[in-house]
Amino acid sequence: MIEAVGLHRDAPAKPARGQPCNGCGICCAIERCPQALLLLPREGGVCPALEWHADAQNYRCGLVLRPAHHVRWLPKRWEGAAGRWLATRIAAGSGCDCDAVEMPPVA
């Protein structure tokens, strides 16, 4: 089954598997990571922590950058440590591990 996912038109193209993450957002738009499944509301669709950053023209994980914003019970003073810990849980910086195939938009 082919599933269409709508992302920002200025988002970078998905890198090849194993290449450095460029913030394309495809992985988080099609499937939530185990941490998002555990910590965030379970409604379907794109991960609610997927954040578009217009200045950088890419997506970033809000659980890493602003965990207290997405996990309301998390004390603000723990945000730095929680973000660093969550970054290790999602393997941030390890490269693209998404097998999805990017298709050009249909006109």
Side-chain angles (χ1 to χ4, degrees):
M1 179 172 109
I2 297 175
E3 182 176 334
V5 176
L7 293 169
H8 196 281
R9 63 183 168 92
D10 294 330
K14 183 191 168 305
R17 185 177 176 87
Q19 294 299 308
C21 174
N22 65 2
C24 73
I26 291 175
C27 56
C28 300
I30 61 173
E31 183 177 18
R32 293 184 191 193
C33 69
Q35 290 67 40
L37 288 172
L38 179 67
L39 296 170
L40 301 175
R42 298 222 192 294
E43 63 261 2
V46 174
C47 178
L50 182 62
E51 298 180 355
W52 173 250
H53 289 257
D55 56 333
Q57 296 289 287
N58 64 17
Y59 285 96
R60 291 290 176 232
C61 176
L63 284 176
V64 170
L65 297 176
R66 308 180 312 143
H69 174 80
H70 295 282
V71 182
R72 305 281 185 197
W73 53 262
L74 182 70
K76 191 83 166 154
R77 69 180 183 277
W78 293 357
E79 191 163 55
R84 289 187 297 276
W85 183 81
L86 285 162
T88 66
R89 301 294 94 204
I90 65 168
S94 298
C96 181
D97 64 354
C98 181
D99 287 326
V101 176
E102 187 174 15
M103 304 289 286
V106 176

